[in-house]
Amino acid sequence: MKIRFLSTKFHTAAENMAIDEAVLNEIASGNSLPTLRLYGWQPAAISIGYFQSLKEEIDLEACETSGIDYVRRITGGGAVLHEHEITYSIHIPESENVIPNGILESYQILCGAVINGLTLIGIDAKFIPINDLVVTYNGTPQKISGNAQTRKKGIILQHGTILLKVDVDKMFSLLKVPDEKMKGKLINDVKQRVTSVSTILARDIPFEEAHDFIYKGFQNTFPSFEFTSGELTNNEKNSIPLLVKDKYGNDDWNNKR
Amino acid sequence: MKQGIYKVPGGKLIKILLDEHDGKVSSVKITGDFFMHPEESIDNMEAALKGIPIDKEKIIARLNDFLLDNKVTLLGADSESLAHTIINSK
């Protein structure tokens, strides 16, 4: 299967989600190839799952003060702080019959590419259903990657984040918690259950290095895929501003639930 | 308005905002970090619970019918955990 490799570098939260949707639409129309995309978020932003309540999950004032952006995804799952991380999205038509129909199995296969990429820099990650990758660190399984999938117009879209560095205190300064009294305990709890590439390797990992090993991970995992570096098509580029204005940059969408 | 929150064992977090009247659901808002396919079904699922008595077995049955009839897949949550969260809302 021919697959386009898109490296879109850094964009805003709304633009990043708009690009994912623009690409999905063009593939569904038959005008673009299946696509693997790697990207970053500038400014740093929180993305929430489709089923989450924006106001309940995010402290909007704290985000504003800290210059952190936010967006609702079209995929389910939880709130993610995209700061020191790299995000991938992979778009594959179901009709290509290269990814299992079962959603749980397909998570495992696609996350396998991220696992492979992490192996290349010496990190041994494991897939924990439904959608997590964990590394055993200090004797406990700690989450290093979260993933989310949707299937629309016959296209499988899975995107996920790989944590390059993590600041749990910062995360919680931007999120709301169910029980304020338990916040301190919750933060300590999460600190034991979340890790990052730089924590495990005891060195800072730049975006470019992660870009490299994640791409290689996908290439290794899917040897029958012919990857070619490409660009956004004119149709894709042209649809992005409207998707930002009417959807991802719009309160109607972000405040949907 | 009543609120419910439940971490599904081995699953995700469910949050409920419940408006009830006369022991029946007037309206319910279901949020959380679970997955549902197709995603847009959530609105119809909430609508399907309108008028149902706040009774665990009845809610489970209504949700199961909805999931089956509409070919909806839930991951990280299920009818039982949703019903549990609803009836335990306060």
Side-chain angles (χ1 to χ4, degrees):
Chain A
M1 187 189 81
K2 284 188 163 44
I3 180 166
R4 171 180 53 167
F5 177 58
L6 259 185
S7 179
T8 56
K9 303 280 191 277
F10 292 85
H11 285 89
T12 65
E15 284 166 348
N16 275 332
M17 296 297 90
I19 294 170
D20 269 355
E21 183 165 333
V23 166
L24 184 149
N25 288 337
E26 270 304 89
I27 298 171
S29 307
N31 297 328
S32 278
L33 288 174
T35 297
L36 170 69
R37 176 184 167 220
L38 289 178
Y39 56 102
W41 304 61
Q42 185 69 257
I46 297 177
S47 72
I48 62 166
Y50 183 82
F51 305 103
Q52 292 188 300
S53 158
L54 182 80
K55 292 194 171 79
E56 280 211 7
E57 296 300 326
I58 300 183
D59 183 337
L60 298 172
E61 269 180 45
C63 283
E64 172 120 13
T65 312
S66 309
I68 306 285
D69 205 350
Y70 56 82
V71 73
R72 174 184 302 279
R73 301 190 301 270
I74 52 172
T75 52
V80 178
L81 172 59
H82 302 273
E83 194 174 30
H84 307 291
E85 56 86 83
I86 184 163
T87 304
Y88 75 89
S89 66
I90 186 153
H91 312 239
I92 302 178
E94 287 174 307
S95 57
E96 290 282 353
N97 289 318
V98 294
I99 299 295
N101 283 333
I103 294 174
L104 288 174
E105 297 96 315
S106 64
Y107 267 116
Q108 179 149 23
I109 302 291
L110 291 167
C111 289
V114 178
I115 292 174
N116 187 293
L118 289 167
T119 312
L120 299 173
I121 45 155
I123 294 182
D124 182 23
K126 284 186 178 30
F127 173 72
I128 304 282
I130 302 159
N131 58 325
D132 288 349
L133 295 185
V134 302
V135 182
T136 299
Y137 186 71
N138 286 341
T140 56
Q142 303 194 8
K143 183 169 165 175
I144 198 168
S145 166
N147 306 270
Q149 187 188 125
T150 185
R151 293 179 184 224
K152 289 180 167 14
K153 304 182 181 180
I155 309 296
I156 301 165
L157 162 57
Q158 179 163 315
H159 47 209
T161 180
I162 295 99
L163 297 174
L164 299 181
K165 225 193 304 208
V166 69
D167 183 343
V168 177
D169 291 307
K170 181 167 183 177
M171 250 172 66
F172 277 95
S173 73
L174 303 165
L175 298 175
K176 290 190 170 165
V177 295
D179 188 347
E180 271 296 319
K181 293 193 272 12
M182 299 293 282
K183 193 168 183 172
K185 182 182 182 297
L186 183 63
I187 293 177
N188 281 332
D189 202 49
V190 172
K191 279 180 180 169
Q192 320 265 356
R193 293 188 291 114
V194 174
T195 188
S196 72
V197 175
S198 62
T199 304
I200 296 169
L201 299 182
R203 67 173 176 92
D204 270 354
I205 302 291
F207 181 86
E208 294 68 28
E209 188 177 347
H211 194 273
D212 201 48
F213 67 73
I214 297 295
Y215 184 24
K216 287 202 172 89
F218 276 91
Q219 290 173 305
N220 290 341
T221 303
F222 300 105
S224 66
F225 291 7
E226 291 167 48
F227 287 89
T228 317
S229 286
E231 305 286 333
L232 289 169
T233 64
N234 283 334
N235 274 354
E236 286 162 351
K237 280 187 209 155
N238 292 338
S239 62
I240 291 162
L242 213 62
L243 282 166
V244 168
K245 177 170 157 298
D246 292 344
K247 189 166 177 176
Y248 299 106
N250 196 306
D251 273 349
D252 284 350
W253 166 260
N254 289 318
N255 270 307
K256 204 169 151 67
R257 301 188 63 76
Chain B
M1 279 297 221
K2 291 183 174 177
Q3 287 184 49
I5 183 166
Y6 179 54
K7 163 74 173 69
V8 182
K12 302 293 186 184
L13 193 69
I14 300 170
K15 295 184 184 182
I16 295 287
L17 258 184
L18 174 68
D19 206 2
E20 66 157 310
H21 183 69
D22 262 357
K24 297 194 182 79
V25 172
S26 300
S27 75
V28 66
K29 182 169 150 191
I30 303 168
T31 60
D33 60 351
F34 50 83
F35 295 90
M36 181 184 290
H37 302 270
E39 287 80 1
E40 295 72 22
S41 311
I42 186 83
D43 295 324
N44 291 336
M45 189 166 89
E46 289 172 344
L49 290 173
K50 276 192 166 66
I52 193 140
I54 312 244
D55 171 289
K56 192 170 188 185
E57 294 312 316
K58 292 199 168 92
I59 296 174
I60 291 174
R62 177 74 63 97
L63 288 173
N64 281 339
D65 283 346
F66 174 81
L67 296 174
L68 203 67
D69 292 344
N70 296 281
K71 295 190 178 38
V72 174
T73 309
L74 261 179
L75 295 172
D78 57 14
S79 302
E80 204 268 327
S81 49
L82 285 165
H84 172 96
T85 321
I86 291 169
I87 62 158
N88 287 298
S89 300
K90 21 180 180 284

